[in-house]
């Protein structure tokens, strides 16, 4: 098969389409012929040499894919050769074939085609696990999603609205904010021109945001704490704004607030399977019913992965970028 390899860390040009050995599904795994793979910020970090795959994972980038099952490993039940699926991966999506633990497979949601389904596993698993399973967003509460026009952000808006929450977003510029508004966002904040702390305070009559989904990290930590409501929950899922910051425990204590930081890639198979099962139970019916939909900005041939990375790093997109085989 062919895959996107990274012979040496570097810029987008470090991604090289090359012939590599086919993966072999192990115990409890299936082999998937990849139709499409999602492009994520974690892939950029891996390309740069900052985010190596966990032990035993595929050496290739790609944390999600869609495709057809072409072989079953020992001990797999409930799936058959020919099934169309999408999957959460620890790596390996940037390839023509990938071996996937069966607990990380999902059937295609009703009404979603095979290629588009590649836009769903990582964002749905990230948002559902952080906003709902960990932060317990409830109807009537306010969610602030930083990077509202990203793949994560566009899914967070829709899922939060589907459960009856109020949604605030930050994004860069009127076009991206308009896209967020179209998806249901109630409070639109241009981070280039506005202070999100003040805007949330004004929009909530001083109460603050009950849950904040943050992709920025250190740069926003102090301001996120200011923005939290009493009993608020800050979920950090990205480090685009740095890794080290000072945490004011007095602010945290005064608000009885909680800060969590999680990733998907390094979690155990059991944890990932539990998240995928929850996504299938709670999110798939919303997609099938038309309340939530994948947002795809563009599809790019996999051998042109460098161009996809350039587009992602430019931030000139709304929603997901997909690579197709």
């Amino acid at each position: 098969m062919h895959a996107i390899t990274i012979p040496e860390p570097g810029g987008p040009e470090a991604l090289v389409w090359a012939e590599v050995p086919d993966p072999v599904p192990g115990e409890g795994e299936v082999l998937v012929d990849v139709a499409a793979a999602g492009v994520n910020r974690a892939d950029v970090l891996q390309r740069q040499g900052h985010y190596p795959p966990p032990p035993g994972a595929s050496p290739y980038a790609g944390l999600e894919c869609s495709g057809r099952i072409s072989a079953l490993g020992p001990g797999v039940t409930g799936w058959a050769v020919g099934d169309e699926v999408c999957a959460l991966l620890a790596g390996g999506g940037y390839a023509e074939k990938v071996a996937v633990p069966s607990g990380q497979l999902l059937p295609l949601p009703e009404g979603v085609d095979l290629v588009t389904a590649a836009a769903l596993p990582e964002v749905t698993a990230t948002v559902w696990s952080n906003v709902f399973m960990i932060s317990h967003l409830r109807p009537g509460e306010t969610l602030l999603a930083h990077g509202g026009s990203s793949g994560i952000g566009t899914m967070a808006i829709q899922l939060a609205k589907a459960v009856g929450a109020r949604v605030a977003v930050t994004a860069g510029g009127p076009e991206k904010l308009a896209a967020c508004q179209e998806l249901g966002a109630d409070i639109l904040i241009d981070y280039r021109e506005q202070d999100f702390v003040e805007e949330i305070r004004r929009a909530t009559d001083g109460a603050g945001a009950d849950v904040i989904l943050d992709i920025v990290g250190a740069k926003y930590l102090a301001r996120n704490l200011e923005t939290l409501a009493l009993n608020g929950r800050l979920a950090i899922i990205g480090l685009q704004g740095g890794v080290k910051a000072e945490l004011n425990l007095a602010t945290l204590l005064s608000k009885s607030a909680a800060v969590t930081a999680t990733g998907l890639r390094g979690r155990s198979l059991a944890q990932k399977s539990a998240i995928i099962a929850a996504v299938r139970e709670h999110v798939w019916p919303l997609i099938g019913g038309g309340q939530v939909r994948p947002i795809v900005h563009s599809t790019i041939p996999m051998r042109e992965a460098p161009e996809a990375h350039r587009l992602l790093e430019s931030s000139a997109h709304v929603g997901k970028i997909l690579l197709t085989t």
Side-chain angles (χ1 to χ4, degrees), residues 65-159:
C65 75
S66 62
R68 294 180 179 86
I69 296 176
S70 57
L72 304 178
V76 173
T77 59
W79 300 97
V81 171
D83 284 350
E84 294 187 333
V85 297
C86 55
L88 182 70
L89 309 172
Y94 287 22
E96 292 177 323
K97 300 176 184 290
V98 63
V100 185
S102 61
Q104 292 167 217
L105 294 171
L106 287 157
L108 301 194
E110 184 179 348
V112 177
D113 66 77
L114 184 60
V115 168
T116 303
L120 288 169
E122 193 269 345
V123 294
T124 55
T126 296
V127 173
W128 193 262
S129 63
N130 284 280
V131 175
F132 299 95
M133 297 174 73
I134 295 174
S135 299
H136 303 291
L137 181 70
R138 293 181 286 269
E141 290 190 325
T142 297
L143 168 71
L144 168 59
H146 289 300
S149 62
S150 67
I152 294 288
T154 54
M155 182 55 62
I157 294 167
Q158 295 179 83
L159 287 177

Side-chain angles (χ1 to χ4, degrees), residues 23-48:
V24 177
E27 180 75 29
E29 294 183 334
V30 307
L31 188 65
V32 173
D33 289 344
V34 175
V39 179
N40 294 287
R41 294 280 176 181
D43 304 333
V44 172
L45 292 176
Q46 181 170 339
R47 187 201 76 215
Q48 295 169 338

Side-chain angles (χ1 to χ4, degrees), residues 51-55 63 89-90 262-269 271-272:
Y51 193 30
L63 300 181
L89 309 172
T262 68
L264 277 175
R265 190 179 201 181
R267 294 198 189 193
S268 69
L269 293 179
Q271 289 173 320
K272 291 178 185 177

